[in-house]
Amino acid sequence: MPRFPWRAPLLALAGLALSFAASAQPAAPASNTLDQVRARGTLACGVNANTPGFTTVDSRGEFRGMVADLCRGLAAAIFGDATKVRFVPLSFATRFTALGAGEVDLLFLTSTQTVLRDTTLGLRFVHPYFYDGHGFMVRRDANVTEARGLAGATICLQPGTTNEQITAEYFRSQNLAFRPVLFEQNEQVRAALAAGRCDAFGFDASGLAAMRSSLPDPNAWVILPQLFSKEPYSAVIRRGDEGWFELLRWYTFALFEAEEAGVTAANADQMRRTTQDANLRRLLGALPEVGQALRVDPAWALNAIKAIGNYGELYARHLGPATPLAMPRGSNELWTRGGLHYAPPFR
């Protein structure tokens, strides 16, 4: 028997799909974004401004979180100055259209790489900086322990996300009914959950942890242990700009490589002066050929690491055990510790 019989259950519509596919138009081929950024003097970074752990705005109007720091680190790599970044808040529903229209230089939102997004929008996903998966958060007093127990439930979802499609596909595959309620903004979802308008929230595990931590009574909510998808988050750029793609990809790799090699924000300068490892000397700019190949200063990665730390420092600062989210690294560990993050050689 459904645990939510008081709801008027609706069969999940077969046509419920990602709204970006209908609304976003293919982007025009990009020109040289790096030269445009340099000429402008600032990096325009598209973010979601209300995602704890990834990007939020504090009481002083400062952008905080893993994504915000990734934008700052890229500015440091390009300009040698982490402050030369302009944050552009975007919703999940409008992010791809804004990038395609040239309103931002890249997206560093929690954007999942999928085959249709990567091939039909005129955009290009760079390389995953975070691995996640879709799940559900439910009221503790509902005594639900697995997703099948959500039959007949009203579930908050956000349009323009893969979670909207995954939820519909899961319930359809199980021949179960649910009532989707769509909210574009995180704060709308938060208000609906707090007011009891939804029995559950379907989203990526990191987003569920962030949402739970921000609710008036976090202990009233439980995140179910099952994950139903692979959600690799990547920076996104316009197609047709190979130089920009290469810089963004190797920027991501540099943060992984720095952690593996033990390079931190505090010791990066010293390691550049003292290391005899050629791979590390290229990473830190003591040898110039990587910077020359990417058309940036030889110290591009050194400047980024000094500004935001290596990947492990970045993760611990925003998502680690001392933070409200306290997310285990899991797949986001380095490959040497059983995770998926791996940097090709710097040679």
Side-chain angles (χ1 to χ4, degrees), residues 199-221:
D199 305 306
F201 178 36
F203 206 70
D204 295 347
S206 62
L208 296 177
M211 182 63 70
R212 182 178 182 272
S213 71
S214 68
L215 287 168
D217 183 7
N219 290 328
W221 295 87

Side-chain angles (χ1 to χ4, degrees), residues 249-315:
R249 182 173 60 162
W250 284 97
Y251 167 64
T252 308
F253 289 150
L255 300 179
F256 303 154
E257 183 71 8
E259 182 182 7
E260 184 177 343
V263 181
T264 68
N267 70 15
D269 276 327
Q270 180 183 3
M271 291 195 73
R272 185 190 189 196
R273 292 193 301 268
T274 61
T275 184
Q276 297 303 308
D277 182 281
N279 197 67
L280 202 51
R281 284 169 60 79
R282 293 187 192 96
L283 172 71
L284 298 177
L287 298 176
E289 52 260 45
V290 173
Q292 291 169 350
L294 295 174
R295 297 178 55 239
V296 289
D297 188 278
W300 65 280
L302 173 74
N303 291 334
I305 295 162
K306 288 168 60 177
I308 65 171
N310 63 39
Y311 185 82
E313 292 178 284
L314 188 66
Y315 192 103

Side-chain angles (χ1 to χ4, degrees), residues 64 66 112 126 159 186 204 242 279 304:
R64 303 295 182 193
M66 173 182 271
T112 299
V126 178
N186 278 354
D204 295 347
E242 287 300 307
N279 197 67

Side-chain angles (χ1 to χ4, degrees), residues 105-125:
D105 301 311
L106 76 160
L107 300 177
F108 248 133
L109 291 87
T110 50
S111 297
T112 299
Q113 181 174 3
T114 71
V115 64
L116 293 179
R117 285 177 170 179
D118 206 22
T119 58
T120 65
L121 301 181
L123 306 176
R124 193 171 187 190
F125 286 72

